[in-house]
Amino acid sequence: MEKNKLRNIPKVDQVLACDELADCFENTEREIVINNVRTVLDEMRAEIIAGEKTEISPVIAAKRAAEKIKSADIPSLRKVINATGIVLHTNLGRARLSQKAAKNALEIAVSYSTLEYDLKSAARGSRHDHIAKLISQITGAEDAVVVNNNAAATLLCLAALFKGKEVLVSRGESVEIGGAFRIPEIMALSGAILKDVGTTNKTHLYDYERAVSRKTGAILKVHTSNYRVIGFQEDVPLRQLAALATAKKLPLIYDMGSGLMVDLREYGIDEPNVENAFENGADIVLFSGDKLLGGPQAGIIAGKKKYIDIIKKNQLARPLRVDKITLAALESTFRSYRDKKQALSEIPVLAMLTAPIDKIRDKAEKFAVSLGKLKADIAVQEETGRIGGGAAPMFDLKSWAVSVVPKEISVDKLERALIDWETPIIARISEEKLLLDMRTVLDSELAAVREALKELL
């Protein structure tokens, strides 16, 4: 029986003659089409040998080959619609850029630019100059340098300033973040020597005082942005550490991670911000570009000029530097912060986090009504989202979602179909319902989500 099926596998010429491949020949080289047909025929042969039920005909082979060719033209890195309610979804690219940042990045990407050219002197310039003064103006730092992420910022800072020296870190702040980035490992890689102080749940000021010696190079405070220790817990506030560091003539480094530039406490989000870190005495602050700052992936090292000058000259500065597109997007993002109120509306991350809950509910209700009659039960329900990106892990982000319970297909199949949609729609399932959280779906994306649901249901 298996041999008979193998004999039925069509020849390459038979498949190439099918109309299903006509469009492929118009847009794809003939050799590529032939190779895809051969691949499909090999797959059919393997499926038959494996005992799988496989439909065999020239037309079916042609359709499969056409799908392969079409799929090859689809970029791997694609736009998706985030309906999860997680604002800084790491798997979905974290912060989405503002329109101004995206426009500036595109303009620089398709043009020559002044990346390392000084227009005033008509001579070579420095890529650091495009953004350092702006960051200083916004944060209160004396100078700044940008690298490709905050892990790189930590590595470069430690390697440039404290190689061979002890750096004091509370045991409760010896963190691990995504991608297996750990403070002890990054410390060892930099050449600095980790000196643990205190305990996991309690570290006192006297723990730091007792640990200071001639070998001490700095005090490092790490914001535990992706977890919290609660209960019998104590750590040392930044201002107290700054006073100790000054008394001992040591620099105080603050790895705060999130890069928040505005005070969001009135919205219930109690996260440290960069400007406040300098006001409380930090000498250097390290933070990300694509978290609560709302810009592209980057790591910013901001602080006193005497330290930044040394960091810029370190050999690691070049391999860790960012490109012109990142600088363009980051510059536009920081420019929005010259007016903090303007930043709350211009920068998508901040706009989502500060969106009034009544408006989110109203959007959910109107969207549910706009779906009309579908082969599904549609409802609106209150939900709890997350900031994401390792920020404010204990904070519940109240939201509203449209729930969909399909009648003729499973909720898992509906989720898969939305992921496979032309513009993938990423939702989540809870209690056998597909939930579309309206906090993270832009108004401009609602039509695409509506079209998908109407087509699938």
Side-chain angles (χ1 to χ4, degrees), residues 135-162:
I135 294 175
S136 298
Q137 176 188 342
I138 301 299
T139 65
E142 292 179 5
D143 200 358
V145 62
V146 179
V147 290
N148 53 28
N149 58 29
N150 195 48
T154 305
L155 174 64
L156 177 57
C157 178
L158 293 172
L161 300 174
F162 311 115

PDB file of all heavy atoms in Angstrom, residues 135-162:
ATOM      1  N   ILE A 135      20.028  64.706  27.773  1.00  0.00           N
ATOM      2  CA  ILE A 135      19.800  63.847  28.940  1.00  0.00           C
ATOM      3  C   ILE A 135      20.140  64.604  30.221  1.00  0.00           C
ATOM      4  O   ILE A 135      19.405  64.529  31.216  1.00  0.00           O
ATOM      5  CB  ILE A 135      20.639  62.556  28.842  1.00  0.00           C
ATOM      6  CG1 ILE A 135      20.156  61.694  27.674  1.00  0.00           C
ATOM      7  CG2 ILE A 135      20.566  61.758  30.148  1.00  0.00           C
ATOM      8  CD1 ILE A 135      20.994  60.448  27.422  1.00  0.00           C
ATOM      9  N   SER A 136      21.226  65.349  30.198  1.00  0.00           N
ATOM     10  CA  SER A 136      21.621  66.135  31.366  1.00  0.00           C
ATOM     11  C   SER A 136      20.560  67.166  31.720  1.00  0.00           C
ATOM     12  O   SER A 136      20.217  67.364  32.888  1.00  0.00           O
ATOM     13  CB  SER A 136      22.963  66.830  31.106  1.00  0.00           C
ATOM     14  OG  SER A 136      23.987  65.868  30.895  1.00  0.00           O
ATOM     15  N   GLN A 137      20.027  67.818  30.694  1.00  0.00           N
ATOM     16  CA  GLN A 137      18.996  68.828  30.898  1.00  0.00           C
ATOM     17  C   GLN A 137      17.744  68.227  31.536  1.00  0.00           C
ATOM     18  O   GLN A 137      17.144  68.823  32.440  1.00  0.00           O
ATOM     19  CB  GLN A 137      18.637  69.458  29.547  1.00  0.00           C
ATOM     20  CG  GLN A 137      17.500  70.464  29.599  1.00  0.00           C
ATOM     21  CD  GLN A 137      17.056  70.899  28.202  1.00  0.00           C
ATOM     22  OE1 GLN A 137      17.775  70.720  27.228  1.00  0.00           O
ATOM     23  NE2 GLN A 137      15.864  71.462  28.112  1.00  0.00           N
ATOM     24  N   ILE A 138      17.358  67.030  31.106  1.00  0.00           N
ATOM     25  CA  ILE A 138      16.134  66.399  31.596  1.00  0.00           C
ATOM     26  C   ILE A 138      16.315  65.786  32.976  1.00  0.00           C
ATOM     27  O   ILE A 138      15.422  65.860  33.828  1.00  0.00           O
ATOM     28  CB  ILE A 138      15.656  65.306  30.608  1.00  0.00           C
ATOM     29  CG1 ILE A 138      15.392  65.889  29.219  1.00  0.00           C
ATOM     30  CG2 ILE A 138      14.414  64.594  31.132  1.00  0.00           C
ATOM     31  CD1 ILE A 138      14.331  66.945  29.159  1.00  0.00           C
ATOM     32  N   THR A 139      17.480  65.174  33.216  1.00  0.00           N
ATOM     33  CA  THR A 139      17.668  64.386  34.443  1.00  0.00           C
ATOM     34  C   THR A 139      18.394  65.118  35.565  1.00  0.00           C
ATOM     35  O   THR A 139      18.268  64.737  36.730  1.00  0.00           O
ATOM     36  CB  THR A 139      18.472  63.111  34.143  1.00  0.00           C
ATOM     37  OG1 THR A 139      19.806  63.472  33.736  1.00  0.00           O
ATOM     38  CG2 THR A 139      17.812  62.292  33.052  1.00  0.00           C
ATOM     39  N   GLY A 140      19.169  66.142  35.228  1.00  0.00           N
ATOM     40  CA  GLY A 140      19.973  66.805  36.240  1.00  0.00           C
ATOM     41  C   GLY A 140      21.379  66.244  36.346  1.00  0.00           C
ATOM     42  O   GLY A 140      22.151  66.649  37.218  1.00  0.00           O
ATOM     43  N   ALA A 141      21.737  65.312  35.464  1.00  0.00           N
ATOM     44  CA  ALA A 141      23.092  64.760  35.447  1.00  0.00           C
ATOM     45  C   ALA A 141      24.049  65.752  34.796  1.00  0.00           C
ATOM     46  O   ALA A 141      23.629  66.648  34.064  1.00  0.00           O
ATOM     47  CB  ALA A 141      23.111  63.446  34.677  1.00  0.00           C
ATOM     48  N   GLU A 142      25.350  65.577  35.056  1.00  0.00           N
ATOM     49  CA  GLU A 142      26.346  66.443  34.425  1.00  0.00           C
ATOM     50  C   GLU A 142      26.669  65.988  33.009  1.00  0.00           C
ATOM     51  O   GLU A 142      27.005  66.795  32.144  1.00  0.00           O
ATOM     52  CB  GLU A 142      27.634  66.453  35.260  1.00  0.00           C
ATOM     53  CG  GLU A 142      27.481  67.130  36.611  1.00  0.00           C
ATOM     54  CD  GLU A 142      28.776  67.100  37.427  1.00  0.00           C
ATOM     55  OE1 GLU A 142      29.805  66.624  36.884  1.00  0.00           O
ATOM     56  OE2 GLU A 142      28.763  67.539  38.582  1.00  0.00           O
ATOM     57  N   ASP A 143      26.590  64.683  32.776  1.00  0.00           N
ATOM     58  CA  ASP A 143      26.953  64.130  31.471  1.00  0.00           C
ATOM     59  C   ASP A 143      26.301  62.756  31.340  1.00  0.00           C
ATOM     60  O   ASP A 143      25.775  62.208  32.319  1.00  0.00           O
ATOM     61  CB  ASP A 143      28.471  64.021  31.339  1.00  0.00           C
ATOM     62  CG  ASP A 143      28.944  63.936  29.887  1.00  0.00           C
ATOM     63  OD1 ASP A 143      28.083  63.933  28.976  1.00  0.00           O
ATOM     64  OD2 ASP A 143      30.166  63.854  29.662  1.00  0.00           O
ATOM     65  N   ALA A 144      26.352  62.197  30.141  1.00  0.00           N
ATOM     66  CA  ALA A 144      25.731  60.890  29.923  1.00  0.00           C
ATOM     67  C   ALA A 144      26.357  60.203  28.719  1.00  0.00           C
ATOM     68  O   ALA A 144      26.930  60.855  27.837  1.00  0.00           O
ATOM     69  CB  ALA A 144      24.225  61.038  29.712  1.00  0.00           C
ATOM     70  N   VAL A 145      26.238  58.878  28.689  1.00  0.00           N
ATOM     71  CA  VAL A 145      26.660  58.086  27.542  1.00  0.00           C
ATOM     72  C   VAL A 145      25.623  56.983  27.353  1.00  0.00           C
ATOM     73  O   VAL A 145      25.040  56.489  28.328  1.00  0.00           O
ATOM     74  CB  VAL A 145      28.078  57.503  27.763  1.00  0.00           C
ATOM     75  CG1 VAL A 145      28.119  56.569  28.966  1.00  0.00           C
ATOM     76  CG2 VAL A 145      28.568  56.781  26.524  1.00  0.00           C
ATOM     77  N   VAL A 146      25.391  56.606  26.099  1.00  0.00           N
ATOM     78  CA  VAL A 146      24.358  55.616  25.781  1.00  0.00           C
ATOM     79  C   VAL A 146      24.995  54.366  25.195  1.00  0.00           C
ATOM     80  O   VAL A 146      25.849  54.443  24.311  1.00  0.00           O
ATOM     81  CB  VAL A 146      23.335  56.191  24.775  1.00  0.00           C
ATOM     82  CG1 VAL A 146      22.275  55.145  24.427  1.00  0.00           C
ATOM     83  CG2 VAL A 146      22.672  57.437  25.348  1.00  0.00           C
ATOM     84  N   VAL A 147      24.565  53.206  25.695  1.00  0.00           N
ATOM     85  CA  VAL A 147      25.004  51.915  25.158  1.00  0.00           C
ATOM     86  C   VAL A 147      23.766  51.099  24.785  1.00  0.00           C
ATOM     87  O   VAL A 147      22.651  51.614  24.807  1.00  0.00           O
ATOM     88  CB  VAL A 147      25.885  51.155  26.176  1.00  0.00           C
ATOM     89  CG1 VAL A 147      27.229  51.841  26.328  1.00  0.00           C
ATOM     90  CG2 VAL A 147      25.193  51.034  27.530  1.00  0.00           C
ATOM     91  N   ASN A 148      23.967  49.801  24.416  1.00  0.00           N
ATOM     92  CA  ASN A 148      22.849  49.098  23.774  1.00  0.00           C
ATOM     93  C   ASN A 148      21.782  48.542  24.702  1.00  0.00           C
ATOM     94  O   ASN A 148      20.698  48.195  24.240  1.00  0.00           O
ATOM     95  CB  ASN A 148      23.362  47.998  22.831  1.00  0.00           C
ATOM     96  CG  ASN A 148      24.330  47.064  23.519  1.00  0.00           C
ATOM     97  OD1 ASN A 148      24.264  46.864  24.725  1.00  0.00           O
ATOM     98  ND2 ASN A 148      25.249  46.501  22.760  1.00  0.00           N
ATOM     99  N   ASN A 149      22.014  48.403  25.994  1.00  0.00           N
ATOM    100  CA  ASN A 149      20.949  48.080  26.957  1.00  0.00           C
ATOM    101  C   ASN A 149      21.483  48.320  28.366  1.00  0.00           C
ATOM    102  O   ASN A 149      22.656  48.644  28.558  1.00  0.00           O
ATOM    103  CB  ASN A 149      20.413  46.650  26.791  1.00  0.00           C
ATOM    104  CG  ASN A 149      21.484  45.590  26.943  1.00  0.00           C
ATOM    105  OD1 ASN A 149      22.469  45.768  27.655  1.00  0.00           O
ATOM    106  ND2 ASN A 149      21.298  44.473  26.260  1.00  0.00           N
ATOM    107  N   ASN A 150      20.616  48.162  29.363  1.00  0.00           N
ATOM    108  CA  ASN A 150      21.031  48.498  30.721  1.00  0.00           C
ATOM    109  C   ASN A 150      22.037  47.491  31.281  1.00  0.00           C
ATOM    110  O   ASN A 150      22.854  47.826  32.142  1.00  0.00           O
ATOM    111  CB  ASN A 150      19.819  48.598  31.646  1.00  0.00           C
ATOM    112  CG  ASN A 150      20.160  49.298  32.948  1.00  0.00           C
ATOM    113  OD1 ASN A 150      20.791  50.364  32.943  1.00  0.00           O
ATOM    114  ND2 ASN A 150      19.787  48.708  34.068  1.00  0.00           N
ATOM    115  N   ALA A 151      21.977  46.251  30.815  1.00  0.00           N
ATOM    116  CA  ALA A 151      22.987  45.265  31.226  1.00  0.00           C
ATOM    117  C   ALA A 151      24.365  45.723  30.765  1.00  0.00           C
ATOM    118  O   ALA A 151      25.359  45.623  31.500  1.00  0.00           O
ATOM    119  CB  ALA A 151      22.649  43.895  30.651  1.00  0.00           C
ATOM    120  N   ALA A 152      24.426  46.232  29.534  1.00  0.00           N
ATOM    121  CA  ALA A 152      25.691  46.754  29.006  1.00  0.00           C
ATOM    122  C   ALA A 152      26.140  47.983  29.786  1.00  0.00           C
ATOM    123  O   ALA A 152      27.337  48.189  30.019  1.00  0.00           O
ATOM    124  CB  ALA A 152      25.535  47.091  27.526  1.00  0.00           C
ATOM    125  N   ALA A 153      25.179  48.809  30.191  1.00  0.00           N
ATOM    126  CA  ALA A 153      25.506  50.005  30.976  1.00  0.00           C
ATOM    127  C   ALA A 153      26.148  49.611  32.302  1.00  0.00           C
ATOM    128  O   ALA A 153      27.147  50.201  32.729  1.00  0.00           O
ATOM    129  CB  ALA A 153      24.233  50.814  31.229  1.00  0.00           C
ATOM    130  N   THR A 154      25.591  48.585  32.958  1.00  0.00           N
ATOM    131  CA  THR A 154      26.147  48.108  34.228  1.00  0.00           C
ATOM    132  C   THR A 154      27.551  47.553  34.030  1.00  0.00           C
ATOM    133  O   THR A 154      28.478  47.872  34.782  1.00  0.00           O
ATOM    134  CB  THR A 154      25.232  47.029  34.835  1.00  0.00           C
ATOM    135  OG1 THR A 154      23.898  47.541  34.958  1.00  0.00           O
ATOM    136  CG2 THR A 154      25.732  46.591  36.197  1.00  0.00           C
ATOM    137  N   LEU A 155      27.702  46.729  32.998  1.00  0.00           N
ATOM    138  CA  LEU A 155      29.006  46.128  32.704  1.00  0.00           C
ATOM    139  C   LEU A 155      30.059  47.189  32.427  1.00  0.00           C
ATOM    140  O   LEU A 155      31.162  47.152  32.983  1.00  0.00           O
ATOM    141  CB  LEU A 155      28.872  45.182  31.504  1.00  0.00           C
ATOM    142  CG  LEU A 155      30.175  44.567  30.974  1.00  0.00           C
ATOM    143  CD1 LEU A 155      30.809  43.664  32.025  1.00  0.00           C
ATOM    144  CD2 LEU A 155      29.922  43.795  29.686  1.00  0.00           C
ATOM    145  N   LEU A 156      29.738  48.135  31.561  1.00  0.00           N
ATOM    146  CA  LEU A 156      30.707  49.162  31.179  1.00  0.00           C
ATOM    147  C   LEU A 156      31.081  50.042  32.366  1.00  0.00           C
ATOM    148  O   LEU A 156      32.264  50.362  32.577  1.00  0.00           O
ATOM    149  CB  LEU A 156      30.136  50.019  30.044  1.00  0.00           C
ATOM    150  CG  LEU A 156      30.991  51.196  29.569  1.00  0.00           C
ATOM    151  CD1 LEU A 156      32.366  50.724  29.124  1.00  0.00           C
ATOM    152  CD2 LEU A 156      30.292  51.947  28.440  1.00  0.00           C
ATOM    153  N   CYS A 157      30.095  50.427  33.150  1.00  0.00           N
ATOM    154  CA  CYS A 157      30.350  51.277  34.312  1.00  0.00           C
ATOM    155  C   CYS A 157      31.299  50.588  35.293  1.00  0.00           C
ATOM    156  O   CYS A 157      32.286  51.180  35.746  1.00  0.00           O
ATOM    157  CB  CYS A 157      29.024  51.616  34.992  1.00  0.00           C
ATOM    158  SG  CYS A 157      29.203  52.609  36.490  1.00  0.00           S
ATOM    159  N   LEU A 158      31.022  49.342  35.610  1.00  0.00           N
ATOM    160  CA  LEU A 158      31.850  48.600  36.557  1.00  0.00           C
ATOM    161  C   LEU A 158      33.253  48.356  36.007  1.00  0.00           C
ATOM    162  O   LEU A 158      34.255  48.506  36.716  1.00  0.00           O
ATOM    163  CB  LEU A 158      31.186  47.270  36.899  1.00  0.00           C
ATOM    164  CG  LEU A 158      29.868  47.345  37.691  1.00  0.00           C
ATOM    165  CD1 LEU A 158      29.228  45.965  37.781  1.00  0.00           C
ATOM    166  CD2 LEU A 158      30.114  47.910  39.077  1.00  0.00           C
ATOM    167  N   ALA A 159      33.340  47.979  34.726  1.00  0.00           N
ATOM    168  CA  ALA A 159      34.641  47.675  34.119  1.00  0.00           C
ATOM    169  C   ALA A 159      35.519  48.918  34.010  1.00  0.00           C
ATOM    170  O   ALA A 159      36.738  48.857  34.230  1.00  0.00           O
ATOM    171  CB  ALA A 159      34.432  47.056  32.747  1.00  0.00           C
ATOM    172  N   ALA A 160      34.911  50.040  33.675  1.00  0.00           N
ATOM    173  CA  ALA A 160      35.684  51.265  33.464  1.00  0.00           C
ATOM    174  C   ALA A 160      36.165  51.894  34.763  1.00  0.00           C
ATOM    175  O   ALA A 160      37.268  52.448  34.822  1.00  0.00           O
ATOM    176  CB  ALA A 160      34.844  52.271  32.679  1.00  0.00           C
ATOM    177  N   LEU A 161      35.345  51.785  35.811  1.00  0.00           N
ATOM    178  CA  LEU A 161      35.640  52.527  37.038  1.00  0.00           C
ATOM    179  C   LEU A 161      36.147  51.688  38.208  1.00  0.00           C
ATOM    180  O   LEU A 161      36.873  52.189  39.063  1.00  0.00           O
ATOM    181  CB  LEU A 161      34.385  53.290  37.490  1.00  0.00           C
ATOM    182  CG  LEU A 161      33.816  54.318  36.515  1.00  0.00           C
ATOM    183  CD1 LEU A 161      32.512  54.875  37.046  1.00  0.00           C
ATOM    184  CD2 LEU A 161      34.804  55.436  36.251  1.00  0.00           C
ATOM    185  N   PHE A 162      35.755  50.394  38.233  1.00  0.00           N
ATOM    186  CA  PHE A 162      36.002  49.641  39.466  1.00  0.00           C
ATOM    187  C   PHE A 162      36.671  48.287  39.258  1.00  0.00           C
ATOM    188  O   PHE A 162      36.571  47.402  40.106  1.00  0.00           O
ATOM    189  CB  PHE A 162      34.679  49.458  40.224  1.00  0.00           C
ATOM    190  CG  PHE A 162      33.911  50.734  40.379  1.00  0.00           C
ATOM    191  CD1 PHE A 162      32.681  50.900  39.763  1.00  0.00           C
ATOM    192  CD2 PHE A 162      34.448  51.794  41.101  1.00  0.00           C
ATOM    193  CE1 PHE A 162      31.980  52.093  39.880  1.00  0.00           C
ATOM    194  CE2 PHE A 162      33.748  52.992  41.216  1.00  0.00           C
ATOM    195  CZ  PHE A 162      32.519  53.144  40.607  1.00  0.00           C
TER     196      PHE A 162
END
